[in-house]
Amino acid sequence: MIFHFRSSLEVFICKLLIIFRTVRGEEEEIREILFSDVATRNYDYLRPPTVNDTPVNVNVSIRDVNIRSIDESDMSFSIAIELWQSWDDYRLIYPSWAKKDYQVLDSRWLEKLWTPNIYFVNAVEGKTNNIITPSSFFWLGRNKRIFYCCRLVLKLLCDMNLVHFPHDEQQCGVKMASAIFNEHYLLLDFMNSTWKGKEFSSLQQFEIVGVVKKRCQLYQGSSNVSCLEEAVVLRRRCGYYLINVYIPTVLIVIMSMLTFWIPHDAVPARVTLGVTSLLTIITKQYQASMPSVSYIVALNVWLSVCIAFVFFSLLEFAVVIAMTTKMKRKPKSLFRDSPDLILPMVLLKANGTWSTKQCWNGPQDNKEILGPRRLDIFSRLFFPSTFLIFCIAYWRYYS
């Protein structure tokens, strides 16, 4: 009886110990981490964690890139990114009770811990993406390495060269540097990450050609600041301009050249067709979406040459009208008083078959219209062939 009671008591005590250890383990896992658990009292968040005058290496990565829009008028583009930073801070303490290799820190400690203070050199506007709160996160590793992540929406400057617009390629990116520390205290470097093409699925005006990572030079006074630039090469899709600009203007130019097949005496038809074509293509030039730059772009060249072809086709008909009017002012028939005709005239008079028609220049009417006809035939060959040569040269040079 006593033995049975002791056995029951031992089993009960073992169960209590197991329950106590389980509850204690769960309390350790859900234990709230305090700032005093990771930093000492003399921790200075203004001093970088350098070791033996060796600069701190800060790895930077940009992920989940989403280019929202590109504006050629003010040379800028809007982008939403996820910025990752990581560095080693030997002054921190990893909690001894933590079982995982990484511990999540409070995002409010951003003002208490040392950070690289990275800013965007080419930024115009920027804000933190507050769709999910908090929008920044801290991780502390067992090897005293800190990972910092934040989601940002930025409007950045992009130096665009629009000479080949709309067949241009632009290189737009993010330029990052430390706002406080020079290269003696801090060095920036890239993580092993790349902007991927699938991250730009919402961008319809451009296609991704490649990604460029490079170091840039930035000076603060007499000291050099570590700077990184990660850019994407964008090639413009010209389908919009092909449908709304190129095809309509080609049809207008061809329509203006149809006047060369209309008879030169049909003045109202040729003038109406030429003037209508000229006004239509000039209106098309003002309706085209052109970038506001002070130099000539490819689309300006195309529209200007198309206007010139339409104008010269109208000018050609003006020359035809002038030639026809000038010939109509001449006498339609001239009496041929050549000495070679005197004897035939006398013989014809003697035989009683005298006719004045044989002494007048009758074929002169056919010769009067030969000049305008030749000009129209020349224009039928010259204008289309020249316009075709221009189209081939334009696409080979700008595309």
Side-chain angles (χ1 to χ4, degrees):
M1 187 72 179
I2 297 174
F3 177 76
H4 180 71
F5 176 75
R6 289 181 178 178
S7 299
S8 301
L9 183 61
E10 290 176 358
V11 171
F12 179 74
I13 294 173
C14 291
K15 289 182 179 181
L16 288 177
L17 291 175
I18 292 173
I19 294 173
F20 177 75
R21 290 179 180 178
T22 302
V23 173
R24 184 177 180 182
E26 292 178 354
E27 289 179 353
E28 289 180 353
E29 290 181 357
I30 64 175
R31 179 178 175 180
E32 181 182 0
I33 184 172
L34 302 176
F35 184 76
S36 59
D37 295 335
V38 298
T40 58
R41 293 183 178 179
N42 57 354
Y43 181 85
D44 187 4
Y45 67 93
L46 298 177
R47 184 173 60 89
T50 57
V51 180
N52 297 327
D53 293 334
T54 302
V56 181
N57 291 321
V58 179
N59 295 325
V60 182
S61 174
I62 297 177
R63 303 176 185 176
D64 295 336
V65 181
N66 183 13
I67 297 180
R68 297 183 173 183
S69 62
I70 298 178
D71 190 0
E72 292 86 0
S73 60
D74 58 354
M75 301 291 181
S76 64
F77 69 105
S78 299
I79 186 173
I81 62 173
E82 185 178 285
L83 179 64
W84 286 76
Q85 306 174 43
S86 65
W87 65 90
D88 295 329
D89 195 342
Y90 70 95
R91 299 171 299 177
L92 299 179
I93 304 171
Y94 192 79
S96 58
W97 48 265
K99 296 181 179 180
K100 298 180 180 179
D101 293 334
Y102 292 94
Q103 184 66 38
V104 180
L105 304 181
D106 194 343
S107 59
R108 293 173 296 181
W109 295 353
L110 181 63
E111 300 178 355
K112 298 181 179 180
L113 294 174
W114 181 86
T115 56
N117 291 320
I118 292 179
Y119 78 104
F120 302 95
V121 180
N122 58 335
V124 179
E125 297 177 0
K127 64 179 180 179
T128 306
N129 193 343
N130 293 323
I131 297 177
I132 300 177
T133 305
S135 58
S136 59
F137 302 91
F138 270 110
W139 285 271
L140 176 61
R142 193 177 295 273
N143 56 354
K144 299 182 181 180
R145 188 169 188 83
I146 295 180
F147 291 88
Y148 174 64
C149 172
C150 61
R151 291 182 295 272
L152 303 171
V153 178
L154 303 171
K155 183 179 180 181
L156 304 170
L157 293 176
C158 180
D159 189 13
M160 301 181 186
N161 185 4
L162 299 173
V163 173
H164 290 258
F165 177 88
H167 310 278
D168 56 330
E169 290 186 2
Q170 304 298 336
Q171 182 174 318
C172 299
V174 182
K175 187 180 293 186
M176 300 165 289
S178 177
I180 301 176
F181 307 101
N182 54 25
E183 287 187 345
H184 182 71
Y185 298 99
L186 185 145
L187 289 177
L188 297 179
D189 198 2
F190 291 107
M191 287 186 186
N192 295 327
S193 63
T194 307
W195 292 6
K196 300 179 181 179
K198 63 180 182 180
E199 298 171 343
F200 301 89
S201 57
S202 61
L203 193 62
Q204 301 297 329
Q205 299 176 355
F206 295 85
E207 61 178 347
I208 308 303
V209 179
V211 178
V212 178
K213 293 183 178 182
K214 59 182 179 181
R215 294 185 178 274
C216 51
Q217 293 183 352
L218 188 64
Y219 297 94
Q220 290 182 355
S222 59
S223 59
N224 190 15
V225 178
S226 182
C227 177
L228 297 179
E229 183 177 1
E230 189 166 359
V232 60
V233 182
L234 303 171
R235 179 180 297 167
R236 193 183 304 273
R237 305 178 191 269
C238 61
Y240 170 82
Y241 299 93
L242 182 65
I243 297 173
N244 294 277
V245 178
Y246 289 115
I247 294 179
T249 51
V250 169
L251 295 178
I252 294 172
V253 172
I254 294 175
M255 184 178 66
S256 67
M257 294 179 184
L258 294 178
T259 58
F260 304 143
W261 278 264
I262 300 176
H264 68 280
D265 54 350
V267 177
R270 295 188 66 165
V271 171
T272 302
L273 186 59
V275 173
T276 303
S277 301
L278 183 61
L279 295 178
T280 303
I281 198 168
I282 291 176
T283 305
K284 194 66 181 176
Q285 183 184 22
Y286 286 102
Q287 291 177 350
S289 56
M290 306 287 290
S292 301
V293 292
S294 58
Y295 49 86
I296 299 175
V297 300
L299 197 59
N300 291 130
V301 176
W302 173 268
L303 292 173
S304 300
V305 173
C306 290
I307 292 175
F309 272 98
V310 176
F311 173 76
F312 282 115
S313 65
L314 185 61
L315 185 62
E316 185 270 349
F317 181 58
V319 175
V320 170
I321 294 177
M323 294 173 62
T324 305
T325 305
K326 184 178 181 181
M327 291 179 179
K328 285 182 178 179
R329 291 177 180 175
K330 295 181 180 180
K332 293 185 178 180
S333 59
L334 298 174
F335 187 78
R336 296 182 293 177
D337 55 353
S338 176
D340 298 335
L341 298 177
I342 295 175
L343 180 60
M345 290 168 58
V346 173
L347 295 176
L348 290 173
K349 181 65 176 177
N351 295 332
T353 58
W354 170 259
S355 177
T356 58
K357 294 182 179 180
Q358 298 178 3
C359 302
W360 293 86
N361 191 8
Q364 185 69 22
D365 295 339
N366 295 330
K367 294 182 180 179
E368 287 178 357
I369 63 175
L370 190 59
R373 283 183 178 178
R374 286 180 177 177
L375 183 58
D376 280 342
I377 293 173
F378 172 76
S379 301
R380 294 174 191 175
L381 300 175
F382 176 75
F383 275 78
S385 59
T386 307
F387 184 68
L388 180 61
I389 293 173
F390 163 73
C391 293
I392 296 174
Y394 176 87
W395 285 99
R396 287 181 63 87
Y397 180 77
Y398 287 107
S399 298

